[in-house]
Amino acid sequence: MRTTTLVLLRHGQTEWNDTGRMQGQADVELDAVGVEQAHAAARTLGGRDFTAVYSSDLVRARHTAEVVAGDLGLPVVLDHRLQEINVGSWSGLTRREIEVEYPGFAEMYFAGQDFRRSATGETVAEMVARVSPAIREIVDRHRGHEVLVVGHGFCFAQLAQHLVGIPAQSRILGGLRNGHWSEIGITDDDVAWVISHNVPPHLHG
């Protein structure tokens, strides 16, 4: 039976990552560290036999994908469904600032409860319902091959858990760090498992 391998790569660092601000679907560019992380990921992943590269259309993910895909000689296929969770009016705020608007946010998060990110944002369940069809299409299109998918840390950690049957908002797998990736194997009968998680790129070389 064939195995399809998904490598879920988080984008490089942005200034908002560095200052601890929620990004969600805000279109924030990579900073200098993030660009280097993208190139480091390209060096580390360059020997893999990817058949395709997909990416969230947010600029931080797209830029990271273009760097890696350029080294692989592959085009980048953009899909807006791969965007990070929508945090609504929390975008640009620190967790301390969010606690003022939404008391109890931290307690709910660390207790593993699902909740809406501000009045105009998404729940984890809604995000997974948005992202999952895109991943399903990618897997069906590339059965038996390796595929690189570039996107966002919280989204990809929750997606990886969903694929292997872990409930939404669980924190069994930590969020992906900038420039790190998770690798998921999926058989033809859709049995999925985590091969590795939070794999770092080689920063020098």
Side-chain angles (χ1 to χ4, degrees), residues 24 46 50 53 58 88 94 145 166 174 190:
F50 293 114
V53 178
L58 294 176
T94 65
H145 297 282
I166 300 171
D190 293 328

Side-chain angles (χ1 to χ4, degrees), residues 9-13 31-45 64 177-181 198-205:
L9 170 65
R10 186 188 180 189
H11 61 80
Q13 179 180 283
D31 62 16
V33 172
V35 172
E36 172 52 31
Q37 288 171 334
H39 283 284
R43 290 192 296 270
T44 308
L45 294 170
T64 302
R177 299 182 181 92
N178 291 115
H180 290 50
W181 58 88
N198 250 331
V199 179
H202 300 308
L203 293 178
H204 303 286

Side-chain angles (χ1 to χ4, degrees), residues 11-201:
H11 61 80
Q13 179 180 283
T14 70
E15 181 184 354
W16 283 19
N17 290 142
D18 191 39
T19 56
R21 298 190 177 278
M22 287 273 190
Q23 290 180 123
Q25 297 178 356
D27 224 3
V28 185
E29 290 270 5
L30 298 180
D31 62 16
V33 172
V35 172
E36 172 52 31
Q37 288 171 334
H39 283 284
R43 290 192 296 270
T44 308
L45 294 170
R48 300 287 293 263
D49 189 24
F50 293 114
T51 60
V53 178
Y54 292 82
S55 176
S56 158
D57 60 349
L58 294 176
V59 65
R60 60 191 184 271
R62 187 176 74 241
H63 188 174
T64 302
E66 288 169 350
V67 169
V68 181
D71 280 13
L72 294 168
L74 293 170
V76 177
V77 180
L78 300 178
D79 192 326
H80 69 277
R81 294 173 294 176
L82 298 173
Q83 290 188 6
E84 181 61 287
I85 191 168
N86 183 356
V87 298
S89 63
W90 294 356
S91 183
L93 302 180
T94 65
R95 287 192 176 180
R96 185 181 296 274
E97 290 168 337
I98 292 169
E99 276 286 348
V100 174
E101 178 181 337
Y102 199 101
F105 155 74
E107 288 80 0
M108 292 178 67
Y109 178 81
F110 289 109
Q113 300 178 40
D114 198 3
F115 56 90
R116 190 167 303 284
R117 273 67 177 165
S118 84
T120 56
E122 290 179 304
T123 65
V124 172
E126 289 168 343
M127 176 192 69
V128 169
R130 163 172 57 82
V131 177
S132 292
I135 295 297
R136 168 58 52 206
E137 291 169 20
I138 291 170
V139 170
D140 287 344
R141 199 173 293 136
H142 301 283
R143 288 283 182 183
H145 297 282
E146 291 190 328
V147 182
L148 178 64
V149 187
V150 184
H152 307 276
F154 182 77
C155 175
F156 277 173
Q158 292 297 317
L159 174 65
Q161 293 185 157
H162 170 74
L163 290 172
V164 300
I166 300 171
Q169 191 61 29
S170 168
R171 299 181 68 250
I172 292 175
L173 293 178
L176 286 170
R177 299 182 181 92
N178 291 115
H180 290 50
W181 58 88
S182 185
E183 191 168 343
I184 310 295
I186 304 175
T187 63
D188 281 346
D189 58 355
D190 293 328
V191 174
W193 67 98
V194 177
I195 298 169
S196 57
H197 184 65
N198 250 331
V199 179

